[in-house]
Amino acid sequence: VVQLSLAEDQRISTSTVTVGLSAVLTCAIQGTLRPPIIWKRNGVILNFLDLEDINDFGDDGSLYITKVTTIHMGNYSCHAYGYEDLYQTHVLQVNVPPVILVYPETQAQEPGVSASLHCHADGIPNPKLVWLKNGMDLQLSSSTQLSLI
């Protein structure tokens, strides 16, 4: 008789990995005589697809993803073959390091004339930009002549 279990606090598992690295999702379903683990994404069984980036299902039922990209973000589920009612959901989040898209330029202005410096960065999660002047955080400055928008 097959006896399977999954701890309540493991029904949903969240993993975060940086783009370009590998990810291992381990199915927490336990039991004696546990049948092979089946992995799905968007209702499609992954075990039998010949995917270049998802190509190894370990003896322990783990799902291996090589060179993670943003297309791998999303929900994966695992269950023991023949026991679809007991499943674990894995939420895979992918971080993308910030990339500066607009670099500030050097400007020379007469005293009293406004100057604008622009900077934009992209990444996942959205990067927080911080402006420094002489190594000091400008947001901590008490200057009334400076506005950050």
Side-chain angles (χ1 to χ4, degrees), residues 13 15 25-28 39 74-78 88-92:
S13 173
S15 301
L25 305 181
T26 301
C27 194
W39 285 91
N75 296 347
Y76 296 79
S77 67
C78 64
Q88 181 183 31
T89 300
H90 286 263
V91 180
L92 182 62

Side-chain angles (χ1 to χ4, degrees), residues 2 4 6 23 29 41 58 68 70 77 81 90 98 102 106 108 110 115 118 121 123 127 133 144:
V2 175
L4 300 177
L6 177 63
I29 295 174
R41 182 172 186 207
V68 171
T70 54
S77 67
Y81 180 78
H90 286 263
V102 177
T106 301
E110 296 291 325
H118 302 278
K133 179 181 178 185
T144 58

Side-chain angles (χ1 to χ4, degrees), residues 90-129:
H90 286 263
V91 180
L92 182 62
Q93 299 172 342
V94 178
N95 285 347
V96 179
V99 175
I100 302 292
L101 302 175
V102 177
Y103 288 90
E105 300 174 359
T106 301
Q107 295 182 31
Q109 296 288 356
E110 296 291 325
V113 176
S114 295
S116 295
L117 299 174
H118 302 278
C119 185
H120 179 74
D122 201 9
I124 300 174
N126 284 331
K128 178 185 174 203
L129 295 176

